């Protein structure tokens, strides 16, 4: 990579600059050229990492939109052209959204790496229990956020995890030290990338983090992240165990949202009972053109109701989250006072139940799969008990795949679900598209810089056939 280093430019957070020399908003008053000396330096660095993770360049818009616009859920407007390259599979090594996600992901990774180093340095200097606890909280969050970032980056720039793909290209692993300017680096393989993600999660568990808010990494949503990672690895027992730990925790075991609360959740930035890991926004956030809401609003992105609408039974209140007349998702309509502002639900309780259901079905635990599945399925009034659900493994997995669409549409999961399950769908005009081998290209600026030259050479070979 041309430049992976911490930069000081006025008031700066910990930044990692890759070959593109991108211009990143600078915040949080952290001097990137000096060691961290105070607890406040560490918390500032954590806030900066979280801000970049939740910003539009990564999880606040681009990643979520990619998961739906590259699948059969969302359609870009030919009139405005926003996200049309990805929606039409006409992207290339210079597509701006791919460049932004690569850059932002490694900004977060570098910030977390530096934050871990700084937290350990400051820990050796402080004496009060309160300060030590704050640093302990930060350390778990840095490790967890770094793991989550690697996972989401791998979904974009690596193939779906499988025995067949395990020895193929993974990501550049930034471990204990920031990569120096103009240092030549290589990509790890995919198996080692996922092993490192799990190592980061295990390291995070070793810290007694007292944080409980779903707006930050905490001990429970780490389990949810692990459940998702293991599901993508086809480690169904591991996914089941991690999901079970979440849904039986004191925080979530009694959650059973009513229709009114469920629908209201999408119009509020307050904490919702279903929130597990959420990018929280504020009514005074000036998101404007960079909001996911704007992509589905004034930029006229729509949902494909020819695919979506038939999946919902009459009375399923989740169908109230799209406007059938305008073909719009209502999950990103904003609050009463800020149209461009909506929380981004990275992982909700519903998804964890669906992870548990899918893992249980794969493990031939039919009864367990039905019980977990009922949590979301009963939002269809025709389903009141497990007896109303499929009773064989094959039928359960088919139902779960459709249930993930009903529950998670426009939340950024669909393309990655199609890919990991080796499913066939109609994508970009190809009625028999199998996304299993699909992968996005590494941005050209990274390759041309000459310090990491391992491109996904076959990305063009696995596009929809037109």
């Amino acid at each position: 990579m041309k430049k992976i280093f911490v930069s000081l430019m006025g008031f700066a957070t910990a930044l990692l600059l890759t070959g593109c020399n991108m211009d990143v908003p600078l915040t949080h008053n952290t001097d990137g050229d000096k060691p961290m000396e105070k607890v406040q330096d560490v918390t500032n660095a954590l806030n900066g990492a979280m801000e970049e993770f939740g910003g539009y360049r990564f999880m606040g818009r681009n990643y979520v939109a990619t998961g739906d616009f590259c699948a059969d859920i969302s359609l870009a407007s030919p009139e405005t052209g926003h996200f049309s390259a990805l929606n039409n599979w006409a992207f290339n090594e210079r597509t701006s959204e791919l460049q932004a996600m690569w850059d932002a992901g490694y900004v977060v990774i570098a910030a977390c790496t530096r934050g871990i180093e700084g937290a350990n340095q400051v820990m050796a200097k402080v004496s009060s229990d309160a300060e030590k606890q704050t640093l302990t909280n930060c350390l778990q969050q840095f490790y967890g956020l770094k793991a989550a970032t690697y996972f989401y980056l791998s979904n974009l720039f690596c193939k779906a995890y499988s025995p067949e793909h395990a020895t193929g290209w993974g990501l550049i692993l930034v471990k204990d030290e920031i990569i120096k300017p103009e240092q030549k680096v290589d990509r790890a393989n995919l198996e080692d990338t996922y092993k490192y993600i799990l190592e980061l999660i295990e390291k995070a568990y070793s810290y007694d983090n007292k944080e409980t808010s779903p707006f930050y990494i905490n001990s429970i949503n780490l389990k949810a992240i692990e459940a998702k990672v293991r599901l993508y690895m086809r480690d169904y027992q591991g996914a089941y165990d991690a999901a079970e730990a979440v849904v039986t925790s004191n925080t979530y075991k009694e959650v059973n949202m009513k229709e009114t609360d469920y629908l209201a959740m999408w119009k509020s930035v307050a904490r919702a009972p279903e929130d597990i890991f959420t990018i929280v926004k504020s009514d005074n956030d000036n998101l404007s053109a960079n909001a996911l809401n704007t992509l589905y609003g004034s930029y006229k992105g729509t949902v494909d109701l020819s695919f979506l609408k038939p999946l919902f039974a009459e009375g399923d209140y989740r169908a109230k989250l799209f406007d059938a007349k305008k073909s719009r998702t209502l999950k990103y309509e904003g609050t009463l006072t800020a149209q461009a502002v909506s929380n981004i639900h990275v992982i909700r309780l519903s998804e964890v139940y669906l992870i548990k259901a899918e893992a249980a079905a794969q493990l031939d635990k039919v009864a367990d799969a039905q019980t977990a599945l009922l949590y979301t399925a009963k939002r269809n009034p025709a389903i009141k008990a497990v007896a109303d659900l499929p009773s064989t493994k094959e039928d359960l997995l088919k139902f779960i795949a459709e249930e993930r669409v009903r529950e998670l549409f426009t939340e950024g999961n669909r393309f990655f679900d199609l890919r990991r399950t080796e499913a066939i769908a109609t994508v970009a005009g190809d009625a028999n598209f199998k996304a299993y081998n699909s992968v996005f290209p590494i941005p050209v600026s990274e390759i041309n810089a000459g310090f990491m030259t391992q491109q996904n050479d076959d990305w063009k070979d696995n596009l929809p056939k037109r």
Side-chain angles (χ1 to χ4, degrees):
M1 303 177 97
K2 183 178 179 183
K3 293 182 181 179
I4 301 184
F5 64 99
V6 176
S7 173
L8 170 62
M9 298 172 64
F11 293 137
T13 186
L15 298 179
L16 173 153
L17 302 185
T18 62
C20 66
N21 293 316
M22 72 281 191
D23 180 17
V24 182
L26 304 174
T27 58
H28 299 299
N29 199 26
T30 298
D31 186 338
D33 288 346
K34 296 180 181 179
M36 296 183 193
E37 297 179 349
K38 300 178 295 185
V39 172
Q40 190 63 54
D41 295 336
V42 178
T43 58
N44 286 348
L46 178 60
N47 289 336
M50 281 295 299
E51 182 173 309
E52 187 66 27
F53 181 86
Y56 80 93
R57 302 186 325 139
F58 199 47
M59 298 302 296
R61 187 194 70 178
N62 284 357
Y63 180 92
V64 176
T66 298
D68 292 302
F69 281 87
C70 283
D72 46 9
I73 299 290
S74 301
L75 300 169
S77 166
E79 178 183 345
T80 67
H82 287 275
F83 244 82
S84 61
L86 284 160
N87 184 217
N88 295 312
W89 286 72
F91 53 78
N92 57 39
E93 300 97 327
R94 291 178 171 80
T95 297
S96 61
E97 293 88 355
L98 296 177
Q99 179 78 67
M101 287 187 283
W102 174 269
D103 293 342
Y106 275 104
V107 166
V108 178
I109 287 165
C112 289
T113 304
R114 179 175 179 267
I116 290 165
E117 180 184 38
N120 284 320
Q121 290 171 343
V122 176
M123 184 76 80
K125 300 177 183 178
V126 300
S127 57
S128 78
D129 290 342
E131 287 181 311
K132 288 181 179 180
Q133 185 60 63
T134 298
L135 292 169
T136 298
N137 292 353
C138 289
L139 281 163
Q140 186 184 81
Q141 292 178 64
F142 279 128
Y143 278 108
L145 190 63
K146 189 173 180 179
T149 302
Y150 265 119
F151 171 67
Y152 291 114
L153 272 181
S154 72
N155 284 339
L156 295 163
F157 298 108
C158 310
K159 290 188 177 181
Y161 189 94
S162 69
E164 179 184 3
H165 294 158
T167 58
W169 290 127
L171 294 171
I172 300 159
L173 303 185
V174 182
K175 294 194 173 181
D176 298 330
E177 295 181 356
I178 302 293
I179 295 173
K180 297 178 176 61
E182 301 189 351
Q183 176 181 340
K184 289 186 178 295
V185 292
D186 292 317
R187 295 170 68 179
N189 65 33
L190 186 58
E191 183 173 16
D192 286 344
T193 298
Y194 268 81
K195 283 182 179 178
Y196 185 53
I197 293 169
L198 293 177
E199 286 174 13
L200 290 168
I201 291 172
E202 285 301 315
K203 186 66 175 179
Y205 287 145
S206 71
Y207 293 97
D208 183 22
N209 179 13
K210 302 300 185 184
E211 179 62 66
T212 59
S213 170
F215 303 148
Y216 297 91
I217 297 290
N218 61 52
S219 297
I220 298 176
N221 62 30
L222 264 174
K223 280 291 181 185
I225 294 167
E226 181 188 350
K228 190 161 185 172
V229 170
R230 291 191 183 277
L231 182 72
Y232 275 58
M233 293 179 72
R234 310 186 188 199
D235 173 8
Y236 299 118
Q237 188 62 58
Y240 179 92
D241 292 344
E244 174 75 354
V246 175
V247 302
T248 60
S249 67
N250 290 334
T251 303
Y252 296 105
K253 64 183 179 182
E254 302 297 334
V255 173
N256 187 13
M257 292 188 76
K258 297 179 180 179
E259 176 182 347
T260 52
D261 295 330
Y262 181 86
L263 297 176
M265 172 176 72
W266 302 97
K267 294 183 178 296
S268 172
V269 293
R271 177 174 179 170
E274 275 231 343
D275 283 332
I276 289 182
F277 184 29
T278 301
I279 297 167
V280 64
K281 301 298 182 181
S282 171
D283 276 355
N284 60 11
D285 284 347
N286 184 23
L287 301 175
S288 187
N290 295 326
L292 191 56
N293 301 40
T294 305
L295 187 58
Y296 284 109
S298 57
Y299 291 160
K300 300 183 180 180
T302 59
V303 291
D304 187 350
L305 292 182
S306 65
F307 166 68
L308 197 59
K309 195 172 181 180
L311 294 175
F312 289 86
E314 184 176 355
D316 189 326
Y317 60 76
R318 293 170 296 186
K320 294 180 181 180
L321 289 171
F322 58 77
D323 182 337
K325 292 183 179 179
K326 297 181 180 179
S327 299
R328 285 182 59 182
T329 179
L330 301 182
K331 289 183 176 179
Y332 305 108
E333 287 289 283
T335 67
L336 294 176
T337 55
Q339 187 176 359
V341 171
S342 292
N343 286 352
I344 306 296
H345 300 278
V346 180
I347 302 178
R348 293 192 286 117
L349 183 59
S350 289
E351 183 180 0
V352 179
Y353 270 107
L354 289 169
I355 290 172
K356 182 182 175 184
E358 183 176 342
Q362 291 285 6
L363 294 168
D364 296 310
K365 298 179 179 181
V366 170
D368 281 359
Q370 290 174 314
T371 300
L373 184 54
L374 187 62
Y375 178 83
T376 62
K378 65 185 179 183
R379 288 166 182 160
N380 169 5
I383 297 175
K384 302 181 185 300
V386 294
D388 301 319
L389 294 169
S391 57
T392 67
K393 174 180 178 177
E394 182 179 54
D395 290 343
L396 270 171
L397 288 172
K398 182 177 184 296
F399 187 96
I400 290 165
E402 294 176 348
E403 185 69 0
R404 285 184 65 87
V405 176
R406 285 186 284 267
E407 186 59 46
L408 304 173
F409 72 91
T410 64
E411 294 180 55
N413 291 279
R414 177 60 173 170
F415 170 68
F416 308 109
D417 280 346
L418 290 172
R419 208 174 63 142
R420 69 178 177 81
T421 61
E422 304 186 42
I424 293 173
T426 300
V427 173
D430 184 345
N432 297 295
F433 181 56
K434 187 175 181 179
Y436 170 62
N437 285 312
S438 297
V439 67
F440 296 107
I442 304 296
V444 67
S445 62
E446 188 62 71
I447 301 299
N448 287 349
F451 297 95
M452 195 292 293
T453 58
Q454 295 140 339
Q455 180 59 275
N456 295 320
D457 292 326
D458 63 346
W459 70 267
K460 291 182 181 178
D461 300 333
N462 295 288
L463 304 176
K465 303 295 187 292
R466 303 173 190 277

